Amino acid sequence: MALLRTLLCAPTAIALPVLPSLRLVRALLFAVLLVPAVGLALRPALAQSISSGDAIQEIRIEGSQRIEPDTVRSYMAINPGDPFDAKSIDRALKALFATGLFADVNFRREGSSLIVQVTENPIINRIAFEGNDRLDDEQLQTEIQLRPRVVYTQARVQADVKRLLDLYRRNGRFAATVDPKVIKLDQNRVDLVFEIKEGDTTDIERIDFVGNKVFDDDDLRDVVITRESAWFRILSTSDTYDPDRLTVDKENLRKFYLEEGYADFRVISAVAELSPDQEAFFITFTVEEGERYKLGKVDIKSTLKDLDPESLWDVVLTAEGDWYNATLVDKSVQAIADRVGSLGYAFVDVRPRIQRDAENHILTLTYDIQEGPKVYVERIEITGNIRTQDKVIRREFRLAEGDAFSTAKMKRTEQRLRNLGFFEAVDIQTTPGSAPDKTVIKVKVAEQSTGELTFGAGFSTADGPLGNIGIRERNLLGKGQDLRANFTLSGKRSQVDVSFTDPYFLDKDLAAGVDLFHRRYNDVRGDNYDLTQSGFGLRMGYELTEYTRQTLGYRLSVDRISDVDNDLSEAIQDEKGYTIRSTISSDIIYDRRDSVVDPRDGYFISLSTDFIGAGGDVTALQNVVRGGYFYPFNDDISIGLSAEAGQIHPLFGDHLRVTDAFSLGGQNLRGFESSGVGPRDADTNDSLGGQYIFDGTLQASFPLGLPEEFNLRGRAFTDFGVLTGTDLDNDVDVDVDDDAILRVSAGLGVTWVSPFGPIAVDVAYPLMKEDYDNTEWFRFSVGTSF
C-alpha cells in the first residue's frame, strides 16, 4: 500500500526520464480500481430494466387484435401489485406461448409498467386441397385436425401433413407428397392450401409364406385380408400395401391356427419389401406352426358360494376329444361370465387354465371361476367426437360413474355405439383409477360422415324401372337425430316420404318421430286399379328391457281407389272412392340377433298390433307375430329360419276390405307372383286377399368360392305359406275361401353387391300349388346409388 500511495501521490518534481512510466502505471491502477466500482454501481440499474423488487403498477398489452387484453392477462397469472420478478415473467412467457395463440411474445419495462408485446397467430379463413383425384376433399377433410376459424400454427400444419401422407400410404400411394401453402389475407387471416401430388399406387405383386407345412400358401392367402394385385380388384384397396393391414393379417393368421388346434403357433415376422423399380411390394410371412392339440379333460371349478358348476355346462362350447379351438374357449369364458353375472354375482373372474401334455399333444382345460376384484367406475372419458355431442355417446353407456365395473356391460356399450352408425371406429379401454378399486373408462371414437345424398336407378320384376332420390342426416346437429326425405318413382308406384326421429326425446330414453307420406300405386296386386295414400304418422318407442323394445304409433291416412277397370271383381269395384283410416299401433320386439341388416347368429320375436278405427271410415283389428332364428355353421355359412303369422278382423259389424286384407306371393313366397296365392274371385280370377296369413323361409347362405372382391354370395331356400279367409260385403263367388292349403316352393339365389348397387337373382319352383295360383320362376332386381 505504501508503494501504491507513493505512486499515486508522488510529487511531480521527479526526474523527467521516470515520468512517462509513472503516468502509465497510474493509469493502469486507475482502470483496475475504478471500472469495477462503476460496474457494481451500474448493475442494479441494468437489472432494474425488467426485474427488481419494485411493484408492477400497470400491465399494458400491445399488438393484440382479436384477443382481448384481459384474456392475455389471464394467461399470464401476473397482476398489478406483484413485484417485478424474473421467474414470474419467465413463467408468464411460457404460458402465453403454450396457448398456441401467439407467434411471438416480448416483455419490457417502462418505469413501473410492464409492457407485453404480442404477435397473434393468424386465423384460418379457408382450407383447400389441390391436385387430389383419387381421394376426394371430404375424405381429406375428415383426416386433418385443422378447421376454418381455428388458430393457424406451423406445428398443427405439419401434423396434418403427416396425417394426409399416412392416409395416402394406407391407400397404397407411397410416392405421394403434400406441400402446405399459406395465402395471407387482411385482418390477420390466412387461406391454407394443401398442394398434393398423389403419385401412382404401389401394388402388392406377391404374398409368400415361409415355414407353413400343414396349410399351403393358397389356404393362408384366404386368411389374410391383404391381396395380390389382380385386374378384378380395380375397385378394392386390399392389393395396396398398408402397414396397419399387415398387423391385422398377423392377428388373423394367429387366430386361424389357434382355431385349428395349433396352440404353439406364432408369426415370426411379416416383411414388406419394395421392388427395385419401387412399383410393387413383396410380402413375406414367416410362421412356426407347431403341433396340433386335442382337448383332454374339460372341467369347471368355482370358489363362489352357492354356485353349482354343473348348471353352467349348457353354455360351454368345448368338449373332451375336440381339437383345441381358442375362439370357442373365449366364447365359453364370456358365456360363463354372462351366466354367472345374471345369477347376481357382480364381480366374477373366469379364467381358462390349460395344462399342456406336449408329448401326447393333449390340453387339459379347466374353467376356473373366482370372485373377481371389486372395481368401480371412477370416470368415463370421451375423445375424438368433434361433432357428436358427449351426451349422445354417454346415453348409450350401460355403465355410469360409481357403478360396479362389468365387462359384459362394457361390450354391450361398444356394440350400441357401433350400431349408431356415427363412428367408423370405437375403441374402449380401461386404465387404473385413483385407487386400486377404481377404474377409468376411456372411449375413443373416430367420426364418419352421417349425411347422405343418394340418387338411385334400377329395375325389378315387381315394379319395373325405378328411380330414387334420398336425402338423409343421421346425426342432425350432432344430437343423434335422424332427418330423411325420400322420393321414389317407378313403373308401378311413386312415393314421397319425409320423417324425423329424435331417439332421446326431451333427453329421456324415449324415441319420438313424425312421418309425412304421399304414395301412389298403379296396378295394385297385379289388378287394374290405382291406390293413392296421403297422411301422417306419429311414433314413440322405449326400451322395456335391454333387448326388448316397444313402439307405439298413430297414423292418419286418406286413401283413394281410382281407375278401376270395369272387368275387375265386384269386391274391388265397391271400394272405389275415398276412405279415411285412423290407426293406433303397437310393436314389441325382443331382438338377440348379431346384426339387424345381415343376421348370421341369434334370434328375434315380435308382435305387431294395429287398431284401425280410432275415427275414420274403417274399423278392424290386425295382429302379426314374427320370429326368426339364425345359426352360423362357421364364418362363411349360416342358416336361418324366419316366419310370420297374422290375422285381421273387421269390428263393429263392418266387412273386411280387399285393400286391408293380407296378400301372399312374390317377395314373401318366391315361385309365385305377387298376390298370386289365396282367395280369388271365381269369375274374374282377381286376388281378394285373406284374413289369415302364415308364411316363412328356411334359407342357407354361403360363399360361392370366388374371391371376396366379387362380393357374391349364394343361397338355397324354401318358402312356404298359407293365405285364407274372406269377409266381403257382397255376393262375390270366392274360390277356396276357408281351406288352409299350404303352398311350398324351393329355389336358389345369388346376391352381388356390385359397383352399380345390390343385384339379387332368385330362381324358384313351386312344389305345392293349386291350379288357380299364379306362379313365376324368376325374380330379378338391381339398384344403384351415385
Side-chain angles (χ1 to χ4, degrees):
M1 290 297 295
L3 177 61
L4 178 63
R5 191 178 304 112
T6 301
L7 292 173
L8 293 175
C9 303
T12 57
I14 298 180
L16 289 176
V18 181
L19 186 59
S21 299
L22 289 176
R23 288 178 178 176
L24 178 61
V25 171
R26 286 179 179 178
L28 291 174
L29 288 175
F30 181 81
V32 169
L33 296 176
L34 184 60
V35 171
V38 173
L40 291 174
L42 291 178
R43 185 178 299 170
L46 293 172
Q48 189 179 359
S49 65
I50 190 67
S51 176
S52 74
D54 298 339
I56 300 172
Q57 300 300 322
E58 178 191 18
I59 299 176
R60 190 161 68 245
I61 309 299
E62 296 181 353
S64 62
Q65 298 180 25
R66 64 178 183 277
I67 302 173
E68 293 294 332
D70 287 342
T71 302
V72 180
R73 295 187 186 97
S74 68
Y75 290 128
M76 294 171 50
I78 297 178
N79 299 303
D82 294 343
F84 283 95
D85 178 66
K87 291 183 178 180
S88 299
I89 293 173
D90 182 61
R91 285 195 298 268
L93 180 68
K94 293 177 180 178
L96 290 175
F97 273 115
T99 63
L101 299 174
F102 308 103
D104 194 17
V105 180
N106 287 296
F107 287 83
R108 71 177 186 274
R109 177 178 178 179
E110 293 183 0
S112 60
S113 298
L114 178 63
I115 312 302
V116 184
Q117 181 72 39
V118 298
T119 302
E120 296 178 355
N121 276 319
I123 289 291
I124 297 175
N125 175 64
R126 184 174 65 94
I127 298 177
F129 303 93
E130 293 183 356
N132 55 306
D133 293 324
R134 299 296 180 180
L135 300 179
D136 58 31
D137 287 4
E138 184 178 354
Q139 290 176 278
L140 301 177
Q141 188 68 52
T142 56
E143 192 72 18
I144 64 175
Q145 298 295 319
L146 286 171
R147 295 288 184 271
R149 297 180 298 279
V150 170
V151 175
Y152 169 91
T153 67
Q154 189 66 27
R156 290 179 178 178
V157 172
Q158 292 304 317
D160 279 348
V161 168
K162 183 179 182 301
R163 291 187 182 94
L164 293 174
L165 290 174
D166 289 342
L167 176 62
Y168 272 102
R169 290 190 174 101
R170 291 198 301 270
N171 283 270
R173 297 182 178 272
F174 282 78
T177 61
V178 178
D179 187 17
K181 300 292 185 181
V182 177
I183 302 173
K184 293 185 178 181
L185 306 174
D186 57 356
Q187 299 178 350
N188 201 22
R189 298 175 302 138
V190 296
D191 284 345
L192 177 61
V193 180
F194 291 98
E195 293 184 353
I196 300 172
K197 294 181 180 179
E198 296 182 320
D200 296 327
T201 59
T202 309
D203 296 331
I204 296 173
E205 186 171 316
R206 192 174 68 244
I207 301 175
D208 294 322
F209 297 87
V210 177
N212 53 309
K213 299 176 181 178
V214 180
F215 300 98
D216 60 29
D217 286 11
D218 289 338
D219 293 330
L220 299 183
R221 289 190 187 102
D222 291 337
V223 174
V224 298
I225 59 177
T226 302
R227 293 287 184 261
E228 293 179 348
S229 180
W231 65 268
F232 53 80
R233 294 194 173 101
I234 56 176
L235 298 175
S236 172
T237 61
S238 61
D239 60 346
T240 57
Y241 174 63
D242 183 352
D244 295 335
R245 189 183 294 129
L246 213 61
T247 302
V248 175
D249 286 338
K250 292 166 63 176
E251 179 60 25
N252 285 349
L253 287 170
R254 190 188 73 86
K255 181 180 178 182
F256 170 75
Y257 271 93
L258 290 180
E259 287 179 347
E260 295 295 330
Y262 293 88
D264 297 328
F265 172 83
R266 65 191 184 102
V267 179
I268 297 175
S269 65
V271 179
E273 296 177 298
L274 193 60
S275 63
D277 57 8
Q278 296 189 343
E279 292 184 356
F281 272 101
F282 300 94
I283 309 295
T284 303
F285 294 94
T286 303
V287 302
E288 184 179 301
E289 293 178 327
E291 299 294 336
R292 194 180 190 190
Y293 285 81
K294 277 191 174 183
L295 288 176
K297 182 181 179 181
V298 179
D299 196 9
I300 302 177
K301 293 184 179 180
S302 173
T303 60
L304 299 180
K305 184 179 179 180
D306 299 329
L307 177 64
D308 181 13
E310 296 298 323
S311 64
L312 304 174
W313 278 110
D314 61 316
V315 299
V316 176
L317 303 176
T318 56
E320 184 175 350
D322 292 347
W323 290 110
Y324 171 71
N325 187 322
T327 299
L328 293 182
V329 173
D330 291 340
K331 288 183 177 180
S332 297
V333 168
Q334 186 60 49
I336 292 173
D338 292 344
R339 172 67 65 84
V340 175
S342 67
L343 297 176
Y345 297 89
F347 303 97
V348 178
D349 184 17
V350 182
R351 297 188 180 183
R353 309 288 185 182
I354 295 178
Q355 293 181 345
R356 181 183 274 99
D357 182 354
E359 183 177 351
N360 298 311
H361 306 146
I362 298 294
L363 299 178
T364 300
L365 174 61
T366 301
Y367 295 102
D368 189 9
I369 307 172
Q370 299 182 8
E371 184 175 4
K374 296 183 177 181
V375 179
Y376 299 88
V377 179
E378 178 180 13
R379 189 170 66 256
I380 297 175
E381 297 179 358
I382 302 172
T383 59
N385 55 316
I386 300 172
R387 180 166 177 256
T388 306
Q389 297 181 6
D390 270 17
K391 68 177 183 180
V392 173
I393 299 175
R394 287 184 177 274
R395 66 196 185 193
E396 301 299 327
F397 265 76
R398 303 297 92 181
L399 290 166
E401 282 90 346
D403 286 353
F405 178 78
S406 168
T407 302
K409 290 184 177 180
M410 190 171 72
K411 288 186 176 181
R412 174 61 175 162
T413 297
E414 183 175 354
Q415 182 185 21
R416 290 174 65 95
L417 288 175
R418 293 183 185 278
N419 287 341
L420 288 176
F422 302 162
F423 313 109
E424 62 179 355
V426 177
D427 182 35
I428 302 181
Q429 302 290 338
T430 58
T431 59
S434 59
D437 63 341
K438 294 181 180 180
T439 186
V440 176
I441 299 178
K442 293 188 175 182
V443 183
K444 185 178 181 180
V445 299
E447 293 182 320
Q448 63 183 4
S449 175
T450 56
E452 300 173 7
L453 174 61
T454 60
F455 300 89
F459 177 85
S460 73
T461 52
D463 295 322
L466 60 90
N468 172 270
I469 299 176
I471 303 172
R472 184 181 183 187
E473 173 54 58
R474 293 180 287 111
N475 188 14
L476 188 64
L477 302 177
K479 297 180 179 180
Q481 298 168 338
D482 191 341
L483 176 64
R484 72 174 77 186
N486 191 70
F487 309 89
T488 301
L489 179 64
S490 72
K492 292 189 177 182
R493 64 185 172 97
S494 60
Q495 64 185 66
V496 178
D497 295 276
V498 179
S499 68
F500 173 78
T501 303
D502 186 346
Y504 278 80
F505 184 58
L506 300 178
D507 289 331
K508 306 290 184 181
D509 191 7
L510 181 70
V514 59
D515 306 300
L516 303 174
F517 58 89
H518 176 77
R519 303 164 186 165
R520 179 182 177 87
Y521 305 90
N522 300 330
D523 297 335
V524 178
R525 296 177 175 174
D527 297 325
N528 295 321
Y529 70 93
D530 298 342
L531 172 63
T532 303
Q533 297 176 325
S534 303
F536 72 92
L538 303 174
R539 293 172 282 109
M540 180 179 66
Y542 50 88
E543 288 186 349
L544 298 175
T545 67
E546 179 64 28
Y547 299 98
T548 307
R549 188 170 188 85
Q550 181 174 21
T551 301
L552 301 176
Y554 173 76
R555 189 174 77 162
L556 181 65
S557 172
V558 179
D559 301 349
R560 177 176 179 247
I561 293 178
S562 61
D563 298 331
V564 181
D565 194 282
N566 293 328
D567 295 333
L568 289 182
S569 170
E570 183 182 342
I572 301 175
Q573 298 278 358
D574 291 345
E575 296 183 10
K576 286 191 297 185
Y578 288 92
T579 303
I580 297 177
R581 280 176 174 77
S582 178
T583 305
I584 298 175
S585 62
S586 169
D587 294 281
I588 300 177
I589 183 170
Y590 179 73
D591 195 347
R592 297 302 300 264
R593 291 173 291 181
D594 60 342
S595 170
V596 177
V597 178
D598 183 22
R600 304 284 183 88
D601 191 9
Y603 60 93
F604 78 96
I605 186 170
S606 68
L607 170 64
S608 299
T609 301
D610 290 349
F611 172 65
I612 309 171
D617 303 322
V618 182
T619 58
L621 181 66
Q622 175 180 295
N623 295 284
V624 178
V625 178
R626 298 180 178 88
Y629 179 80
F630 306 90
Y631 179 79
F633 285 102
N634 52 43
D635 291 339
D636 294 324
I637 302 176
S638 63
I639 189 170
L641 174 64
S642 58
E644 70 171 358
Q647 61 88 24
I648 181 169
H649 281 295
L651 301 176
F652 311 119
D654 284 352
H655 292 274
L656 182 65
R657 297 169 61 89
V658 174
T659 50
D660 292 324
F662 294 111
S663 64
L664 183 62
Q667 193 59 41
N668 61 352
L669 186 61
R670 287 163 289 189
F672 296 84
E673 290 184 1
S674 297
S675 303
V677 171
R680 317 187 77 80
D681 188 319
D683 297 326
T684 64
N685 200 38
D686 295 324
S687 172
L688 302 176
Q691 285 185 276
Y692 307 95
I693 188 173
F694 171 72
D695 65 88
T697 296
L698 177 63
Q699 178 170 289
S701 176
F702 49 84
L704 296 177
L706 298 172
E708 293 181 5
E709 289 76 15
F710 284 115
N711 290 322
L712 277 168
R713 284 186 66 84
R715 56 182 175 272
F717 60 86
T718 178
D719 291 349
F720 49 89
V722 174
L723 181 67
T724 186
T726 57
D727 180 29
L728 303 176
D729 188 18
N730 46 52
D731 296 327
V732 172
D733 186 11
V734 180
D735 269 343
V736 193
D737 183 10
D738 297 319
D739 295 334
I741 301 176
L742 181 67
R743 273 76 162 187
V744 179
S745 66
L748 298 172
V750 175
T751 299
W752 177 31
V753 183
S754 74
F756 310 102
I759 296 177
V761 176
D762 289 310
V763 177
Y765 180 78
L767 301 177
M768 296 176 59
K769 67 182 184 66
E770 295 300 313
D771 294 338
Y772 48 82
D773 292 337
N774 296 331
T775 62
E776 66 179 15
W777 65 274
F778 177 78
R779 291 188 69 83
F780 168 81
S781 64
V782 57
T784 186
S785 294
F786 306 101

